[in-house]
Every structure is written in structure tokens, then in C-alpha cells.
């Protein structure tokens, strides 16, 4: 099976539930089961939405292992394995492979600001250390750096690099990357609000924040778009658009954790330096959840 056929559709960038300062295993496992029941195509634990920067290494690895166990092979698990330390990224990636993750998501190293050659060498080192697929996570708003399409093309020559989670919010990049790397190079949108347009340009799916709270609606949107039914997809986009925007009214994942607490899935708890959302944002999220049909209006 080619990579783009295996890695396609709606993947949820899972939150990491906390309770009284600890990772809430029961809530995390229940969230995964609910996601799978509602039609998601894959799971992405311990990414940005999973608050990976504030998880200990032990917690990070435990969450990945729980995700693989709970998924039970029903959907692929793409484990977050990024770091601004190459050695640390390799350690996370090797662990993900050892516990049975289907692939790893590796972010461009943040804070260090490596040049394009540094980016290439970082990803090559991870590639050389494991034997499972690697999806590049290109998110300039958080990492400061932007991986060029030329660097991506060099990396695609390596055996384990299969695609990108593109959070540039530049839909033109989809066509450019498709032109340079070809249609088999997996392209996931990292922006819920532009995912519909991303797919129209040739993208293969979305790694979604919104689907934490509205998995069925988001799955229906992505599946309609990927099947070419853009009329149905646009109708769903209109319903989900307020939620896509409300969940980023403050820094992710605080709004989506509030939304999940609102529907009784997790406690509304984040780790510093993240804080719970304001009353004004709670009102926006409540309204958007009702418009999307997640709660009664």
C-alpha cells in the first residue's frame, strides 16, 4: 500500500487530559475509543495539541504507548516525536517504533533556528535511526523556521520520509509541493479552517484540533471532500467554521480542552505556562459547539 493511501483522511491531534496535575489515563483511553467510534482515520498523540513541551519524557512515552494499545490496530497512530534536540527526537522516535506506532510526526526544530542544511541533517538523523514512516511537521508560526520545498524534496529521497503536516496556512504550498514532490507525497493540512481548500488543491487530509470535540462532523467533511463531494463538504464547513475559529481564540490547546470539558470528556486542565481560557472565549466556544451540533443550542 502506498503511503498516501495508508495515511489519508482525518487524523485527530489528541489532547493529553490532566487531572490534579497528572496525566488522566482513563480519560485519554476513553477519548481514543470515542474518536474511533466516530470515524476518524488516525490518531496523533503528543503533538502541540497534546502539550508535549510540558510532558516529562516518561509521560510522553507512556501516552504514546497508551495510544497504540487503545487504538488496537483499528486506525494508524502517528506519534509525536519532535524536539529541538536531535538526540531527543531520535529517542522519542525509537520508542514510538518499539511500542508499535505506525509512524512518527517530527516537527522542525524550534528555538534553535537551524538553516536548511541543519533541517536536512536533523531529519536525516531521525530517518537513519528508525524503520517506520516519518511525517515532517512544518509549522513556522511556532518553530520560527520554514522548511523549503527544496529541502523537503531532498528528504523525500530518504526511505522513511513520506509526507508533511503543513501548518503554513498557505494553500498554494500544496500545489507547489505536489508539483515538486509528486502526488504520492502525503500532504496533511495542519489548519482546520483551511483543510477543505487544502484537499481541493490535492492534499490527502487533515491533522485536526477540532475533531477532538466534533469527530463525526470533521470526518464527514474530510471524507466528502476526498470523494469529490464538495457541496456536502462546504455545507459541513459552514457549520464547523465557527468552531474552527473559536478553538483558536486563545492559544491551543486551552480552548479545545475547555470544549472537551463542556461535553464531559475531560477535565478543563492545562499545564503552565498554558492557562484556562477566559469567560469571553468560553462563550464563543459554547456558541460554536451549538452551531456545529455538538451541544444543544
Amino acid at each position: 500500500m502506498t503511503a498516501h493511501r495508508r495515511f489519508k483522511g482525518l487524523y485527530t491531534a489528541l489532547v493529553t487530559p490532566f487531572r490534579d496535575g497528572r496525566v488522566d489515563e482513563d480519560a485519554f483511553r476513553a477519548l481514543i475509543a470515542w474518536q474511533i467510534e466516530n470515524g476518524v482515520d488516525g490518531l496523533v498523540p503528543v503533538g502541540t495539541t497534546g502539550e508535549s513541551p510540558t510532558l516529562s519524557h516518561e509521560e510522553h512515552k507512556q501516552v504514546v504507548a497508551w495510544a497504540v494499545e487503545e487504538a488496537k490496530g483499528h486506525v494508524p497512530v502517528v506519534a509525536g516525536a519532535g524536539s529541538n534536540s536531535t538526540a531527543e527526537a531520535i529517542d522519542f522516535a525509537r520508542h514510538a517504533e518499539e511500542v508499535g506506532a505506525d509512524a512518527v510526526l517530527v516537527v522542525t526544530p524550534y528555538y534553535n533556528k537551524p538553516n536548511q542544511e541543519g533541517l536536512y541533517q536533523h531529519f536525516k538523523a531521525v530517518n537513519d535511526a528508525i524503520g517506520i514512516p516519518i511525517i515532517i511537521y512544518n509549522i513556522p508560526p511556532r518553530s520560527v523556521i520554514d522548511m523549503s520545498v527544496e529541502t523537503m524534496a531532498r528528504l523525500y529521497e530518504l526511505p522513511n520520509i513520506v509526507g508533511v503536516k503543513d501548518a503554513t496556512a498557505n494553500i498554494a504550498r500544496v500545489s507547489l509541493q505536489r508539483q515538486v514532490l509528486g502526488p504520492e507525497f502525503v500532504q496533511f493540512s495542519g489548519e482546520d479552517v483551511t483543510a477543505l481548500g487544502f484537499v481541493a488543491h490535492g492534499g490527502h487530509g487533515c491533522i485536526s484540533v477540532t475533531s477532538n470535540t466534533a469527530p463525526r462532523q470533521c470526518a464527514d467533511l474530510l471524507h466528502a471532500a476526498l470523494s469529490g463531494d464538495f457541496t456536502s463538504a462546504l455545507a459541513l464547513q459552514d457549520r464547523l467554521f465557527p468552531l474552527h475559529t473559536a478553538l483558536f481564540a486563545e492559544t491551543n490547546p486551552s480552548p479545545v480542552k475547555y470544549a472537551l470539558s463542556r461535553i464531559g470528556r475531560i477535565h478543563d486542565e492545562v499545564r503552565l505556562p498554558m492557562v484556562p481560557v477566559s469567560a469571553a472565549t468560553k462563550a464563543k466556544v459554547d456558541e460554536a459547539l451549538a452551531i456545529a451540533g455538538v451541544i444543544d443550542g
Side-chain angles (χ1 to χ4, degrees), residues 12-267:
T12 299
L14 294 164
V15 303
T16 302
F18 300 128
R19 186 165 187 170
D20 300 325
R22 296 177 178 273
V23 178
D24 188 339
E25 178 183 356
D26 291 342
F28 183 67
R29 288 182 180 275
L31 179 64
I32 287 174
W34 182 60
Q35 293 285 316
I36 294 171
E37 288 168 7
N38 280 276
V40 306
D41 300 295
L43 303 166
V44 183
V46 292
T48 304
T49 307
E51 291 176 86
S52 57
T54 55
L55 296 180
S56 70
H57 287 197
E58 181 181 356
E59 288 173 329
H60 179 119
K61 292 176 179 179
Q62 187 64 78
V63 169
V64 170
W66 289 337
V68 172
E69 289 171 9
E70 195 61 38
K72 300 180 177 70
H74 294 304
V75 298
V77 174
V78 179
S83 173
N84 63 338
S85 161
T86 302
E88 189 172 284
I90 288 171
D91 180 52
F92 285 145
R94 282 176 170 161
H95 172 266
E97 181 176 25
E98 287 168 4
V99 299
D102 298 273
V104 290
L105 180 70
V106 179
V107 71
T108 50
Y110 42 88
Y111 190 76
N112 302 18
K113 295 181 69 175
N115 61 18
Q116 294 298 311
E117 182 61 24
L119 288 176
Y120 176 81
Q121 294 297 338
H122 175 85
F123 279 87
K124 183 178 185 301
V126 179
N127 172 88
D128 293 349
I130 61 173
I132 58 175
I134 298 167
I135 297 173
I136 299 160
Y137 185 9
N138 193 29
I139 182 166
R142 283 189 184 258
S143 68
V144 183
I145 51 174
D146 183 4
M147 182 182 287
S148 70
V149 178
E150 292 74 20
T151 299
M152 224 170 274
R154 288 180 68 197
L155 287 169
Y156 193 36
E157 295 175 359
L158 301 175
N160 295 318
I161 304 291
V162 300
V164 64
K165 175 185 176 183
D166 188 307
T168 63
N170 178 5
I171 293 179
R173 285 288 289 262
V174 188
S175 294
L176 178 58
Q177 287 159 182
R178 185 179 172 87
Q179 183 179 55
V180 174
L181 291 102
E184 297 294 316
F185 183 71
V186 176
Q187 296 199 60
F188 278 112
S189 170
E191 300 281 344
D192 278 291
V193 74
T194 58
L196 176 56
F198 194 97
V199 169
H201 276 247
H204 300 96
C206 179
I207 296 177
S208 169
V209 174
T210 305
S211 60
N212 276 282
T213 61
R216 174 56 61 186
Q217 294 91 328
C218 290
D220 288 348
L221 189 159
L222 262 295
H223 296 160
L226 287 165
S227 69
D229 183 1
F230 287 100
T231 299
S232 297
L234 183 57
L236 286 161
Q237 171 81 347
D238 288 341
R239 288 179 58 198
L240 285 167
F241 183 81
L243 188 56
H244 291 334
T245 55
L247 293 182
F248 288 88
E250 295 183 34
T251 305
N252 179 47
S254 293
V256 72
K257 280 196 152 182
Y258 166 71
L260 281 165
S261 74
R262 184 70 174 77
I263 59 176
R265 293 286 166 186
I266 68 170
H267 285 265

Side-chain angles (χ1 to χ4, degrees), residues 271-291:
R271 280 185 177 168
L272 287 171
M274 303 304 296
V275 294
V277 296
S278 66
T281 294
K282 288 180 179 179
K284 289 179 183 177
V285 171
D286 287 346
E287 181 180 11
L289 287 170
I291 294 170

